[in-house]
């Protein structure tokens, strides 16, 4: 019975995380962490580590799918990637000394607000508008955004994907498909850095939970990414918004149960 419960929890956690990753470039840790903590009593620091580890392959396969559809900007995202990685490592180290590793309700309400924004005020940036920003301005904005996103991802273990999408669309003017593709590309490396830091500092989690979450997240992320790349801009805006709102509502409910 315990094994069955573990499989079911990891399945639903992986499904929610994979769908969020493939459609909206969200961090898998935002879903997996709270669910493992509440339903399987996994220590908070290790639960976040499992979520970040699950995010690595899920984000990588999603990024590859977006790349095949020419919706990934690697070259211009490198300053953002580097600054995010540095601050994720710093944040993960500092997070060990924080008293509460659960993601705060404030972050979830922020995600709901952002989800409503995508539905009511959809992103209408074009690839031409995205390229209009000067290289110097883009680098400065990318570094500032990366410091903020990396700090959040490292300290909280979640929310990095949500913030990346916001920075890419609202701060750097990315078209939505390219923003999601670039977000999951960056999250591949961010999740690896954060997950490795969590395991080195906090110890390895239960291998069963880790393997199950990685597999289920990977499967659902692949499915979601394929659908997202075929969706029209208006439809993708709505999907991203709904995914953010539903995910946040579920996490708030899970945190309430805790």
């Amino acid at each position: 019975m315990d094994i069955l419960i573990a499989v079911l929890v990891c399945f639903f956690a992986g499904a929610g995380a994979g769908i969020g990753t493939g459609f909206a470039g969200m961090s898998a840790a935002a879903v997996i962490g709270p669910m493992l903590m509440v339903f399987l009593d996994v220590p908070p620091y290790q639960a976040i580590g499992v979520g970040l580890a699950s995010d690595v392959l899920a984000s990588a396969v999603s990024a590859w799918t977006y790349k095949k559809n020419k919706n990934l900007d690697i070259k211009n995202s490198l300053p953002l990637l580097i600054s995010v990685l540095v601050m994720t490592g710093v944040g993960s180290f500092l997070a060990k000394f924080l008293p509460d590793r659960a993601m705060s309700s404030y972050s979830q309400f922020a995600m709901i607000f952002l989800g409503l924004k995508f539905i009511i005020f959809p992103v209408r940036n074009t690839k031409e508008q995205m390229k209009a920003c000067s290289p110097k301005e883009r680098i400065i904005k990318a570094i500032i955004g990366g410091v903020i996103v990396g700090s959040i991802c490292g300290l909280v273990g979640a929310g990095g994907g949500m913030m990346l999408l916001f920075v890419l669309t609202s701060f750097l003017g990315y078209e939505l498909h390219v923003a999601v593709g670039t977000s999951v590309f960056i999250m591949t490396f961010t999740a690896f850095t954060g997950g490795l830091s969590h395991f080195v500092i906090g110890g390895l989690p239960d291998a069963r939970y880790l393997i199950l979450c990685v597999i289920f997240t990977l499967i659902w992320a692949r499915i979601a990414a394929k659908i997202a790349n075929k969706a029209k801009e208006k439809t993708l805006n709505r999907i991203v918004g709904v995914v953010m709102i539903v995910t946040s509502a579920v996490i708030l409910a899970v945190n309430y149960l805790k």
Side-chain angles (χ1 to χ4, degrees), residues 33-255:
M35 291 194 69
L36 293 186
M37 286 182 243
V38 173
F39 296 110
L40 297 179
D41 294 323
V42 177
Y45 200 82
Q46 291 187 0
I48 297 300
V50 171
L52 289 169
S54 302
D55 214 356
V56 177
L57 289 179
S59 292
V61 74
S62 296
W64 177 251
T65 303
Y66 278 91
K67 182 180 183 299
K68 288 196 299 183
N69 289 273
K70 299 181 180 179
N71 287 319
L72 174 59
D73 181 18
I74 297 178
K75 179 180 178 181
N76 293 315
S77 66
L78 291 180
L80 180 61
L81 169 61
I82 294 171
S83 56
V84 168
L85 285 178
V86 172
M87 293 310 299
T88 298
V90 174
S92 294
F93 174 76
L94 296 177
K96 179 65 177 178
F97 305 101
L98 296 180
D100 187 4
R101 292 287 299 152
M103 189 174 185
S104 71
S105 298
Y106 296 107
S107 298
Q108 301 309 323
F109 286 120
M111 195 182 295
I112 291 175
F113 175 80
L114 187 57
L116 289 173
K117 183 263 183 191
F118 279 106
I119 295 174
I120 302 173
F121 303 104
V123 176
R124 301 187 185 278
N125 303 330
T126 64
K127 293 183 180 179
E128 289 72 25
Q129 291 175 320
M130 182 181 76
K131 295 177 181 178
C133 181
S134 69
K136 182 179 180 180
E137 181 182 359
R138 183 184 291 115
I139 291 175
I140 294 174
K141 287 182 176 181
I143 292 175
I144 295 174
V147 169
I148 296 172
V149 173
S151 299
I152 292 174
C153 187
L155 285 170
V156 183
M162 174 191 72
M163 292 300 299
L164 270 176
L165 196 59
F166 177 77
V167 168
L168 288 167
T169 56
S170 300
F171 207 44
L172 296 175
Y174 274 52
E175 185 266 336
L176 186 56
H177 284 84
V178 180
V180 176
T182 304
S183 176
V184 291
F185 169 73
I186 295 175
M187 284 305 298
T188 301
F189 300 94
T190 305
F192 178 80
T193 303
L196 183 62
S197 298
H198 276 65
F199 292 156
V200 170
I201 298 171
L204 293 175
D206 189 310
R208 295 172 300 175
Y209 303 153
L210 177 60
I211 293 172
L212 287 171
C213 286
V214 168
I215 292 174
F216 290 135
T217 305
L218 176 62
I219 292 173
W220 283 100
R222 172 63 173 163
I223 294 172
K226 292 185 69 174
I227 296 174
N229 275 279
K230 295 179 180 178
K232 295 181 179 179
E233 181 185 90
K234 184 177 181 180
T235 303
L236 184 59
N237 269 280
R238 291 177 176 175
I239 292 175
V240 169
V242 170
V243 167
M244 285 187 170
I245 293 171
V246 172
T247 301
S248 298
V250 170
I251 295 172
L252 285 170
V254 168
N255 284 335

